[in-house]
Amino acid sequence: MNFFTLLGVELKKIRRSRILFILGIAAVLLWLPSILNAHLNFDMEAEGISPEHNFFIQGFLGMAWFMFPASMVVGTVLLGQTERSNHGILRMLALPVSGGKLCMAKYTVLLTLAAVQMAMMTGMYFISAAIASQTQNYEFLLPPLFVLKEVLVMYVSAVPMIAFFWMLSVCIQTPIFSVGIGLASIVPSVLMINTKMWFAYPMDYPFYVITAKYGELAANLTETEIELIPWAPVAVGFTGFCMVISVICFGRSERR
């Protein structure tokens, strides 16, 4: 069984799970406060940011700091539980396919889920901005290319974080502990983005990216520079480390 066939099998399993429903609910809950409080975007003149940019930034700040990482933590655990609940992992490991290839296929599915949620949240942004434009009689919609570019940057920056969450779910068999550690790792992001060592903590990458964009758009705030060195090497190294550990530990407890 080649990798793409295996990937197709894994994607079919997602249709029968509650993961997509949970991701959709998270996207709706993220933008609902933005619609209800759209009028507050006109009070940000002190920061030198336009209402439409503030509407975009505030929504995606909530997404990048907590909603998206938390959804990935829960989604990662649910992805693992779909196999363990029906002993499906034992049947998969019995197939003539390496455990490492199966582990990478599941991680690819997780990255696909992350992309789906990003798409959901982006779609909800456009819907929310359109509703806010009507209720406030002001154009909150930003050019699609601008929005899609920022979302793509956030998605790419989240890859190391997702690798860490996947490693937790593989190495920690008890779901409550895996979820607890994953959620707890999100909280320090607020502190880490304000240090010179922010690049050493991958869970703050998406939050740092959107915060840097905030500084760029707000004329009266200090602009934060995103330097690829040492960020990129650290991100690649961290992702590689997490995936090596995941491949080594994947299916180990089931084989005993």
Side-chain angles (χ1 to χ4, degrees):
M1 184 179 294
N2 62 45
F3 179 80
F4 294 103
T5 301
L6 189 60
L7 182 60
V9 172
E10 294 299 321
L11 288 173
K12 288 181 180 179
K13 297 176 184 178
I14 297 301
R15 300 176 184 176
R16 300 189 295 269
S17 70
R18 296 170 294 175
I19 299 177
L20 292 176
F21 175 75
I22 292 174
L23 298 184
I25 291 297
V28 173
L29 292 178
L30 172 70
W31 286 103
L32 187 58
S34 296
I35 298 174
L36 297 176
N37 299 312
H39 62 282
L40 298 179
N41 292 285
F42 298 103
D43 301 330
M44 302 302 293
E45 294 181 359
E47 281 72 25
I49 186 171
S50 65
E52 62 272 26
H53 283 131
N54 191 67
F55 184 90
F56 170 83
I57 290 293
Q58 293 302 323
F60 277 88
L61 277 174
M63 168 187 166
W65 174 62
F66 187 78
M67 191 64 77
F68 175 67
S71 298
M72 287 297 98
V73 170
V74 175
T76 301
V77 173
L78 288 177
L79 186 63
Q81 288 305 300
T82 55
E83 294 286 10
R84 297 190 181 108
S85 60
N86 298 313
H87 303 290
I89 186 66
L90 295 177
R91 292 190 289 269
M92 293 300 294
L93 291 173
L95 295 174
V97 60
S98 68
K101 186 183 292 186
L102 182 57
C103 177
M104 292 303 298
K106 288 184 175 294
Y107 176 64
T108 303
V109 170
L110 188 59
L111 290 177
T112 302
L113 288 175
V116 169
Q117 187 175 38
M118 285 282 190
M120 288 178 176
M121 291 183 170
T122 304
M124 281 303 302
Y125 157 75
F126 287 112
I127 295 173
S128 301
I131 295 174
S133 298
Q134 292 296 318
T135 59
Q136 302 300 315
N137 195 28
Y138 182 88
E139 185 59 68
F140 281 99
L141 281 168
L142 291 171
L145 287 180
F146 171 86
V147 176
L148 294 177
K149 175 186 175 183
E150 298 308 316
V151 171
L152 179 61
V153 172
M154 276 191 288
Y155 174 75
V156 173
S157 71
V159 170
M161 176 186 71
I162 297 172
F164 174 74
F165 293 153
W166 176 241
M167 181 183 70
L168 286 180
S169 71
V170 169
C171 298
I172 302 176
Q173 299 298 307
T174 307
I176 190 171
F177 290 128
S178 179
V179 170
I181 295 174
L183 293 178
S185 69
I186 299 171
V187 179
S189 298
V190 178
L191 301 176
M192 290 302 298
I193 63 169
N194 294 310
T195 69
K196 294 182 179 180
M197 294 296 292
W198 66 270
F199 57 83
Y201 196 71
M203 277 60 72
D204 71 8
Y205 288 177
F207 193 39
Y208 187 88
V209 166
I210 194 64
T211 302
K213 193 64 180 180
Y214 191 17
E216 178 184 333
L217 295 173
N220 298 331
L221 293 180
T222 302
E223 185 173 344
T224 303
E225 294 290 339
I226 297 181
E227 298 179 355
L228 291 180
I229 303 296
W231 181 24
V234 172
V236 172
F238 184 87
T239 304
F241 172 80
C242 290
M243 292 313 301
V244 168
I245 298 299
S246 298
V247 169
I248 292 173
C249 297
F250 185 80
R252 176 173 292 182
S253 61
E254 287 80 8
R255 291 191 182 96
R256 293 175 183 173

